[in-house]
Amino acid sequence: MDKEHAKFILQSYRPDGADASNPDFTEALRLVAEDRELGLWLAQERAHDAMFAEALMTVDIPDGLRDEIFSVMEYDGGGKDLSSEIDAVFVGAMAHVSPPEGLRDQIISAMEVERESSKKPNSTKVVRFPLRWLNVAAIAAVLVLSALFIYPEFNINSNEQLALHEIQLGMGTVLNASYKMEISENTLVAMNSWLAREGLPEADTVPQGLITDAVKGGKKLVLDNGVRASMLFFEKKDAGEFYLMVLKVSSLEDAEKLLSIDQVGLKSCWNCEVTHFNVTAWKDNGKAYLLLSKSERKTMLELF
Amino acid sequence: MSEFQELVDAHYQPLYRFGFSLAKNPDKAADLVQQTFCIWAQKGDQLKDRSKAKTWLFTTLYREFLAGARRSNKFPETDLEDSEYHLASKEDDTGRAIDAKRAVAVLNSMDETFRAPLALFFLQQHSYKEIAAVLDIPMGTVMSRISRGKDLLKKKMREKLAGSSKVVVMNSSERGQKNG
């Protein structure tokens, strides 16, 4: 082995000495012991490498990343047999449904969205819902759920509380398929007045970045359990479109997971693998809020 | 503590640093780490040899990065600001003078071809053979990219220093050549 070949090999020798017992480096290290110039070169090389290794160790780990990893696991692979729950919802729902006019077209549109989503390669999104969800019955159940959101007169009145992830999944599916605002307003005050007249929950706790010059309008929704919810539409220059659902906290079976708006952060913002919306949620006195957007999570969190 | 918790605690920090060196963005790096552990939650039980979990995780993160980069069609090379190269002392050799932030910036300015193997090398979590497995390239290619990558790193720093009005630093071999 000549000196240049030894240098080539030793450039892959880790500066912390982890490769000391690696036989791939034995011959090159033997040469270093015999050649003073090579020894000096290796010492300089390892010092240079150690500097970069130390520099990489100073890259800050974001606060809460570890907790976020574990939080995400609650939504993915948590051991709950979600497919049987969805199947039960589907069977129950279909037993009571009388399809309204136009539902067929709405379902076909939503199915095309789902088909395109399932074709895509692994995305850069954060949360991955269990793939066992996406069997035919589950997709159909999601479509029925989304139909329940589109058509307020669908009122199965099961009196069940719904889980946060079911609500956000339904909301995202509706938004992807199609939606129409029932009212156009450009101030939050006017929007809340309309909601109050309609007997719908008002948006009292809104991210600071959406309070002025962002409201576009709203819509009323009736959930599967008969609860009426508000949907507000926002569009903010250079940030994108945002959709805010407001409903009673008592409608959620897992409302205890929600934080107050001033606690919203990276940990409480996730991505839905099915609908590709970024989602965050919070609660105030008696009300729960879900904010959805296709904007980046960082952009969403900057609204708060 | 569960196996999953142990795995997260053992690897999420170096995974993040690797993701950061690839994506050059803290949000995207965090996303890459999240995706990696999500995929582990779904498929990790297929790995029979649990001692390979670390390599599996880094490989998965790298593949997620590539998949995302293919979609966005971006492999940018960042030019460094001259202001990042104010050296403390003329006598300091290149390696000691540069501080951590600048070192990371220099590394992040490299083309992805070199940045990925160099980041894994400097993280010191993997031997060059393991780096080859993570990046799915031959071992000889890894050694070549580490070797050329480190030469390029030094060259980038010297060029920036030569362009700066503050100080000129030569390494010992150049000093020898200049003096004849």
Side-chain angles (χ1 to χ4, degrees), chain B residues 1-155:
Chain B
M1 191 183 275
S2 69
E3 186 203 8
F4 181 76
Q5 282 177 316
E6 284 180 7
L7 202 72
V8 170
D9 285 338
H11 300 300
Y12 85 98
Q13 290 189 356
L15 275 170
Y16 174 82
R17 290 183 174 118
F18 181 44
F20 182 77
S21 69
L22 293 172
K24 301 190 277 187
N25 176 297
D27 247 1
K28 287 180 182 159
D31 274 359
L32 285 170
V33 173
Q34 288 281 10
Q35 288 159 43
T36 299
F37 282 111
C38 280
I39 295 171
W40 172 265
Q42 291 168 1
K43 298 183 184 174
D45 57 350
Q46 296 171 11
L47 183 68
K48 298 288 183 280
D49 182 359
R50 303 311 253 186
S51 68
K52 300 277 191 261
K54 181 181 70 174
T55 302
W56 191 101
L57 289 169
F58 277 82
T59 304
T60 301
L61 187 142
Y62 184 63
R63 285 182 186 165
E64 287 297 303
F65 164 72
L66 290 180
R70 269 194 294 270
R71 277 192 298 281
S72 62
N73 200 27
K74 277 188 218 173
F75 281 95
E77 211 169 317
T78 313
D79 286 331
L80 297 166
E81 296 292 331
D82 288 335
S83 60
E84 298 197 77
Y85 287 92
H86 297 152
L87 297 185
S89 161
K90 281 188 187 179
E91 283 73 38
D92 285 345
D93 110 346
T94 306
R96 286 201 301 275
I98 199 165
D99 69 20
K101 187 178 171 183
R102 276 178 264 153
V104 172
V106 170
L107 181 61
N108 284 353
S109 74
M110 302 283 286
D111 185 86
E112 189 269 336
T113 307
F114 299 108
R115 199 166 75 244
L118 281 175
L120 287 170
F121 174 75
F122 289 130
L123 280 170
Q124 303 187 90
Q125 298 275 315
H126 301 88
S127 65
Y128 75 93
K129 284 185 182 173
E130 288 168 334
I131 293 173
V134 168
L135 302 180
D136 194 23
I137 53 178
M139 286 184 288
T141 305
V142 167
M143 295 180 88
S144 171
R145 289 184 185 177
I146 289 174
S147 173
R148 284 160 55 209
K150 287 205 277 182
D151 287 344
L152 274 172
L153 272 181
K154 291 169 194 163
K155 186 181 170 202

Side-chain angles (χ1 to χ4, degrees), chain A:
Chain A
M1 179 182 291
D2 66 22
K3 201 185 288 189
E4 288 309 308
H5 190 55
K7 281 185 180 179
F8 175 75
I9 290 173
L10 289 168
Q11 284 193 310
S12 297
Y13 186 82
R14 284 176 279 181
D16 65 355
D19 293 316
S21 55
N22 187 335
D24 296 336
F25 295 98
T26 303
E27 182 62 22
L29 289 171
R30 186 188 61 76
L31 214 61
V32 166
E34 294 169 357
D35 186 317
R36 186 168 177 274
E37 193 186 332
L38 194 58
L40 281 172
W41 172 87
L42 183 61
Q44 274 190 324
E45 190 71 13
R46 290 184 72 188
H48 178 272
D49 293 346
M51 185 270 299
F52 272 98
E54 202 177 305
L56 263 186
M57 290 303 289
T58 66
V59 170
D60 287 332
I61 308 297
D63 287 340
L65 176 60
R66 180 185 180 276
D67 292 339
E68 191 179 334
I69 292 167
F70 291 122
S71 297
V72 163
M73 289 304 116
E74 288 178 22
Y75 289 94
D76 186 3
K80 205 172 168 186
D81 185 7
L82 293 164
S83 60
S84 62
E85 283 192 22
I86 288 290
D87 289 347
V89 168
F90 171 66
V91 169
M94 288 306 289
H96 292 88
V97 165
S98 300
E101 192 179 336
L103 175 61
R104 179 182 175 279
D105 292 339
Q106 292 287 351
I107 289 175
I108 289 170
S109 299
M111 280 180 74
E112 283 170 2
V113 170
E114 286 296 330
R115 198 177 296 124
E116 285 307 307
S117 296
S118 64
K119 275 187 198 169
K120 283 181 186 169
N122 289 337
S123 75
T124 58
K125 305 299 186 288
V126 176
V127 171
R128 292 181 183 269
F129 283 78
L131 292 181
R132 60 182 178 275
W133 271 53
L134 299 179
N135 56 53
V136 171
I139 291 174
V142 166
L143 297 174
V144 171
L145 279 173
S146 60
L148 297 175
F149 279 74
I150 295 168
Y151 294 95
E153 52 271 27
F154 258 38
N155 189 347
I156 292 178
N157 228 356
S158 68
N159 292 322
E160 283 180 22
Q161 287 181 315
L162 293 175
L164 184 65
H165 70 266
E166 289 173 322
I167 293 178
Q168 68 86 15
L169 185 61
M171 188 177 162
T173 307
V174 165
L175 291 169
N176 278 334
S178 76
Y179 64 85
K180 208 185 275 187
M181 291 193 295
E182 288 181 50
I183 182 95
S184 293
E185 294 286 1
N186 57 13
T187 69
L188 192 57
V189 168
M191 200 51 235
N192 277 334
S193 293
W194 180 78
L195 292 171
R197 287 196 300 273
E198 295 293 317
L200 295 166
E202 296 168 56
D204 296 325
T205 313
V206 174
Q208 190 66 31
L210 292 179
I211 290 176
T212 51
D213 299 328
V215 176
K216 305 302 289 182
K219 182 181 174 56
K220 61 176 171 283
L221 298 170
V222 177
L223 306 186
D224 180 37
N225 54 3
V227 167
R228 290 157 62 84
S230 307
M231 174 87 94
L232 290 85
F233 301 90
F234 299 84
E235 187 175 351
K236 191 167 171 75
K237 189 171 177 247
D238 298 329
E241 293 178 348
F242 302 88
Y243 311 95
L244 180 67
M245 178 190 277
V246 189
L247 65 160
K248 287 185 186 168
V249 156
S250 54
S251 310
L252 288 173
E253 68 179 30
D254 49 356
E256 71 280 359
K257 285 183 186 172
L258 295 179
L259 306 170
S260 61
I261 191 171
D262 54 5
Q263 293 174 305
V264 167
L266 194 65
K267 201 165 85 169
S268 51
C269 186
W270 70 94
N271 182 271
C272 175
E273 170 69 10
V274 176
T275 65
H276 305 296
F277 276 98
N278 286 318
V279 187
T280 190
W282 63 94
K283 63 184 176 190
D284 67 10
N285 300 325
K287 280 182 252 186
Y289 301 77
L290 275 79
L291 184 68
L292 273 68
S293 179
K294 295 271 175 89
S295 300
E296 287 191 8
R297 284 194 302 162
K298 187 180 169 222
T299 305
M300 275 182 84
L301 293 173
E302 282 170 356
L303 299 172
F304 292 82

